């Protein structure tokens, strides 16, 4: 019996945009806006858009560093 992966599954390499948005506690539209501006890394696989599992943490680290520098 196979179980569906959850947002906390550390074995995932790629996340859907919705999963990345939930990890960042933001909306799907905001997440797509971050992807569109290049603030949040993503890749295309065929017609799918995926976010590397470490990209949300990297985005947060950059935001925190920018805030400390300000």
């Amino acid at each position: 019996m196979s179980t569906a992966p959850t947002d906390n599954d550390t074995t995932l390499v790629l996340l859907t945009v919705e999963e990345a948005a939930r990890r960042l506690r933001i909306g799907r539209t905001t997440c797509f806006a971050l992807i569109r501006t290049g603030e949040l890394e993503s890749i295309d696989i065929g017609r799918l858009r995926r976010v590397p599992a470490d990209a949300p943490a990297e985005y947060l680290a950059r935001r925190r560093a920018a805030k400390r520098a300000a």
Side-chain angles (χ1 to χ4, degrees):
M1 176 193 243
S2 174
T3 60
T6 66
D7 288 346
N8 296 326
D9 186 347
T10 58
T11 63
L12 293 177
V13 176
L14 297 172
L15 306 171
T16 65
V17 173
E18 291 79 6
E19 290 168 339
R22 281 194 296 270
R23 285 193 180 188
L24 290 168
R25 303 296 195 258
I26 61 175
R28 180 178 176 271
T29 303
T30 302
C31 195
F32 271 111
L34 291 173
I35 290 169
R36 193 170 27 261
T37 62
E39 294 180 74
L40 182 63
E41 180 187 0
S42 72
I43 61 170
D44 291 323
I45 300 177
R47 294 177 61 191
L48 303 174
R49 171 75 57 181
R50 293 294 183 256
V51 177
D54 59 348
E58 289 174 1
Y59 166 74
L60 180 59
R62 285 192 308 274
R63 291 290 307 256
R64 293 176 80 185
K67 184 176 180 179
R68 283 192 296 269

